Amino acid sequence: MFAKILIANRGEIACRVIRTARRLGVRTVAVYSDADSEALHVEMADEAVHIGPSPVGESYLRGDRIVAAALATGAEAIHPGYGFLSENPDFVDQVVAAGLIFIGPSAASVRAMGLKDAAKRLMEKAGVPVVPGYHGEAQEIVLLASKAREIGYPVLIKARAGGGGKGMRRVEHPDDFSEALSGARREAKAAFGDDRVLVEKYVDKPRHIEVQVFGDNFGNAVHLYERDCSAQRRHQKVIEEAPAPGMTPALREAMTEAAVKAAKAISYSGAGTIEFIVDASQGLKADRFWFMEMNTRLQVEHPVSEMVTGTDLVEWQLRVAAGEKLPKTQSEITLSGHAFEARIYAEDAAKGFLPATGTLHHLAFPDNAPEGASMRIETGVRAGDAISPFYDPMIAKLVVHAKDRQAALDALGTALSQTEIAGSTVNTAFLAALAANADFSAGDVDTGLIGRHQEALTAVAPPRSEIVAAAALAAAGAGALPSNDPWSSLAGYAHFHSIARRTRLRHGEDDILARVSVRPDGRFEVALDAPYDSVNSHDLRAAPRLARWPGHVTVFEGAVGYSFFVPDPLARTDEAAAASGSLRAPMPGLVKLVRAAKGERVIKGQPLLILEAMKMEHTIAASHDGVIAEIATEGAQVTDGTVLVRFVEEAA
């Protein structure tokens, strides 16, 4: 076993690797950018080396600096985690050339599977079924469009390099092909440095089922069964589970056999995932699955496989890279129970899952696993950390395991309802709604499920009067809120002031006036304007969960966190600016493309520009008819709230 390894990654996966390495007695070296100087993975590691500025191209994608850090600290091997350089064969070559060990597959294996088109041609030769489509080298738009017609619409345009939904577009009609292709190419170029694509048939009711495989350097390869990753938004996974619901013995045998065959075809060593698309329109059948791609690294969702097989895949990675054989044979790997993983992100589900930023002023996960279940919280942040615009906005992965699917699903819902996050917009309410969705609960899931139910899944009921009253009491109180009696801090002022204390709150676009007064019996009454009802404090003794943070109060009800802004009564607001006719950046990003010009008359809903943030493209459309007075320039780097478009003021 290694004495010391360097982890060429950050956040949750870096912390995950450190925990296993520590258990095995292996010392760890972290690397970090300017933005991560005080990050959790830096704190947890035995040593840490600064590798550059915050942008990934100047830090976490600098293989030369990472290799230099490993050599300088005496590390013997480099663990790539996932993302960044984990599937870059040139980086693997750099590591090996420096006399270090890459904890993962060989550069040849990575190259064989790194480009989707080449990988599919290889799998065809190996006898693994592949999705019907065009996987050739030619990239002329006329050829690609003709191939799409041959395949038959709808089709899916996919970047040949990378994954995670970046550079991917579904096209329903030939008239939309050209624009979809341009968007996919731009996004692929930004994310992977390669704008080439492939075109495939879009499966009507697709299930995304993948198989965890593992190989060693002695020719052995095994599978650790399947995971279902069909619950996706914008082609990115949201909740994963193992095993796949409705899986038949025939399909499992065929799929796992194909996965192991794929791994052996490239002499694979280390952890890998073979991803399949399954046509579930007529149930799960052994002749209705096709190879999509191979991820030559550890997957984000690997914990569910660990939970149902009782393994530590990071330990396996370290042992195999150190020259050992696989810890278990195929017959020794068995399934037990069911597991779910929910990805908790800083994002606004109601606004199309826009990534969010902010400081995690309050971050609390359940202290104990729900009854009858086990639980893991995989995170790379703690309370007080900031969600940066430079990196993926994942906060944590909540993983539960129980005896069967229903018990695990119940545990997932319970754990989400006990999770408290304040300081950034998060997706916990969306995750809880998805877990409770009737189709998802029944296991009737496909990659279009979230899209079909998106409005219902992302809708959040307005706060009840009791929630608003709790926020008003917290805002009016002094000092920290005691956990046993959230209202006792108010007693000091209330007993000495007979008049009501006025408190203003803002929730979304709503300004709320609350009047807090003390009753003769010492209880408080909160008078609220319509549409809310007045509330007495004794009605709130089932103590709402609260978090107070600078200028705000968040009240938690289930998986929903209702955040209220508490205006500073001495602060002056610029009402004119608030009412001005302009469009502002919903998040920090790069103005990638401008589709309108100064002086142009536009109509409501017309696309005006494309903002690239976190390697994804977001279209900014006109909010109303009008004439453009100013518009941002292409290539401009903007921050959250920057005015992108200003309209000519209409004459009175």
Side-chain angles (χ1 to χ4, degrees):
M1 182 52 68
F2 304 114
K4 182 189 290 187
I5 64 171
L6 180 142
I7 303 164
N9 219 294
R10 64 175 299 281
E12 167 266 324
I13 185 57
C15 296
R16 163 75 184 88
V17 174
I18 290 170
R19 284 193 296 272
T20 289
R22 181 180 295 163
R23 179 173 60 80
L24 297 175
V26 178
R27 292 179 60 80
T28 55
V29 180
V31 293
Y32 65 94
S33 67
D34 289 348
D36 281 340
S37 61
E38 297 182 4
L40 182 59
H41 75 282
V42 174
E43 178 184 295
M44 289 178 62
D46 296 297
E47 301 174 59
V49 178
H50 177 253
I51 55 170
S54 302
V56 294
E58 301 176 51
S59 51
Y60 295 107
L61 292 180
R62 289 294 301 269
D64 55 339
R65 294 180 183 176
I66 291 170
V67 169
L71 294 173
T73 56
E76 304 159 77
I78 294 179
H79 193 299
Y82 48 67
F84 295 142
L85 295 170
S86 63
E87 293 180 282
N88 186 320
D90 295 335
F91 178 62
V92 180
D93 285 336
Q94 274 185 289
V95 172
V96 175
L100 302 168
I101 294 175
F102 181 76
I103 303 175
S106 66
S109 293
V110 177
R111 285 192 175 94
M113 290 298 192
L115 298 177
K116 295 182 179 68
D117 52 355
K120 288 180 179 180
R121 293 195 294 269
L122 177 62
M123 290 299 98
E124 285 180 309
K125 292 181 181 178
V128 177
V130 301
V131 181
Y134 173 71
H135 309 131
E137 291 290 336
Q139 294 288 299
E140 293 80 7
I141 184 172
V142 174
L143 174 65
L144 294 176
S146 68
K147 291 296 182 181
R149 288 182 181 273
E150 290 177 16
I151 296 165
Y153 285 87
V155 298
L156 197 63
I157 301 173
K158 299 172 67 175
R160 74 197 293 255
K166 299 178 179 68
M168 185 180 293
R169 296 289 190 278
R170 176 181 174 176
V171 190
E172 297 283 351
H173 192 274
D175 292 346
D176 301 324
F177 187 84
S178 177
E179 184 170 354
L181 177 63
S182 297
R185 281 176 164 168
R186 285 194 305 271
E187 204 166 85
K189 184 69 174 179
F192 316 118
D194 185 344
D195 67 356
R196 289 171 290 180
V197 301
L198 49 86
V199 183
E200 293 181 342
K201 177 66 179 174
Y202 185 85
V203 179
D204 288 332
K205 190 176 181 181
R207 288 271 296 273
H208 181 143
I209 301 177
E210 59 191 33
V211 176
Q212 176 71 59
V213 294
F214 219 107
D216 62 20
N217 296 308
F218 300 91
N220 302 307
V222 297
H223 69 80
L224 289 92
Y225 298 95
E226 81 281 352
R227 300 184 288 257
D228 194 301
C229 307
S230 301
Q232 301 179 8
R233 89 284 189 267
R234 299 175 68 172
H235 304 293
Q236 293 183 311
K237 301 165 187 175
V238 175
I239 295 180
E240 304 98 342
E241 59 182 299
M247 175 59 70
T248 65
L251 178 56
R252 177 174 286 149
E253 181 178 358
M255 189 176 286
T256 54
E257 180 182 342
V260 173
K261 185 186 296 184
K264 288 186 174 181
I266 57 172
S267 302
Y268 195 78
S269 175
T273 298
I274 310 296
E275 299 194 347
F276 296 100
I277 194 77
V278 181
D279 182 356
S281 59
Q282 299 177 5
L284 299 183
K285 296 185 177 181
D287 63 347
R288 303 295 290 171
F289 75 96
W290 302 279
F291 172 86
M292 283 199 303
E293 61 184 345
M294 181 179 189
N295 292 125
T296 53
R297 54 170 169 79
L298 201 64
Q299 290 278 85
V300 177
E301 59 272 20
H302 76 273
V304 294
S305 293
E306 293 182 321
M307 294 289 243
V308 297
T309 59
T311 58
D312 183 333
L313 293 177
V314 174
E315 179 179 345
W316 281 33
Q317 285 186 299
L318 296 178
R319 292 193 181 282
V320 166
E324 298 181 23
K325 290 185 177 181
L326 288 175
K328 290 184 178 181
T329 62
Q330 190 65 69
S331 62
E332 294 174 317
I333 303 170
T334 58
L335 275 174
S336 176
H338 203 97
F340 284 95
E341 174 184 288
R343 302 188 187 190
I344 300 176
Y345 279 98
E347 66 180 14
D348 193 336
K351 294 183 178 179
F353 303 102
L354 283 177
T357 56
T359 298
L360 301 175
H361 291 284
H362 178 81
L363 180 64
F365 299 105
D367 292 329
N368 301 298
E371 185 176 356
S374 56
M375 179 180 66
R376 286 166 54 174
I377 304 295
E378 302 281 355
T379 185
V381 296
R382 66 281 214 215
D385 285 351
I387 300 299
S388 165
F390 296 104
Y391 313 118
D392 186 271
M394 179 185 286
I395 294 173
K397 301 183 311 193
L398 193 158
V399 190
V400 296
H401 177 261
K403 63 180 181 179
D404 55 40
R405 188 175 189 271
Q406 188 58 55
L409 193 58
D410 291 343
L412 178 65
T414 298
L416 285 168
S417 71
Q418 296 173 351
T419 298
E420 302 175 0
I421 304 173
S424 177
T425 303
V426 295
N427 68 339
T428 50
F430 161 71
L431 293 171
L434 177 58
N437 174 267
D439 289 343
F440 188 83
S441 296
D444 185 15
V445 59
D446 60 80
T447 58
L449 183 146
I450 291 176
R452 291 193 300 273
H453 300 280
Q454 185 165 330
E455 184 175 351
L457 292 173
T458 58
V460 176
R464 298 180 298 107
S465 297
E466 291 78 7
I467 298 297
V468 179
L473 284 168
L481 290 172
S483 59
N484 60 337
D485 182 1
W487 323 127
S488 62
S489 60
L490 292 173
Y493 84 83
H495 283 297
F496 294 102
H497 297 272
S498 58
I499 62 173
R501 176 167 176 173
R502 292 160 57 92
T503 299
R504 288 193 175 276
L505 303 170
R506 185 176 302 143
H507 178 71
E509 300 298 319
D510 296 335
D511 286 312
I512 304 167
L513 175 62
R515 302 171 185 84
V516 180
S517 58
V518 65
R519 292 160 54 99
D521 59 6
R523 293 181 298 190
F524 296 96
E525 180 178 352
V526 183
L528 299 168
D529 291 340
Y532 303 104
D533 300 320
S534 296
V535 177
N536 292 321
S537 63
H538 67 85
D539 297 326
L540 302 174
R541 286 299 172 178
R545 295 172 292 144
L546 300 165
R548 291 174 61 180
W549 45 290
H552 295 78
V553 173
T554 298
V555 183
F556 300 100
E557 184 172 50
V560 182
Y562 292 100
S563 289
F564 298 85
F565 173 60
V566 184
D568 182 347
L570 299 179
R572 299 180 64 182
T573 59
D574 188 347
E575 297 295 337
S580 65
S582 60
L583 295 175
R584 297 177 180 271
M587 72 195 89
L590 174 72
V591 178
K592 192 72 174 180
L593 185 67
V594 176
R595 292 182 168 181
K598 180 178 179 179
E600 181 178 343
R601 177 169 290 280
V602 297
I603 61 173
K604 182 178 180 180
Q606 179 178 335
L608 302 182
L609 54 83
I610 292 176
L611 183 69
E612 181 188 274
M614 301 179 184
K615 301 301 182 185
M616 298 291 281
E617 291 187 353
H618 309 275
T619 299
I620 306 298
S623 57
H624 59 276
D625 297 352
V627 176
I628 296 177
E630 296 178 42
I631 190 165
T633 57
E634 287 187 12
Q637 190 77 43
V638 298
T639 59
D640 186 7
T642 297
V643 174
L644 298 174
V645 182
R646 195 182 304 279
F647 295 95
V648 173
E649 293 186 17
E650 297 291 339

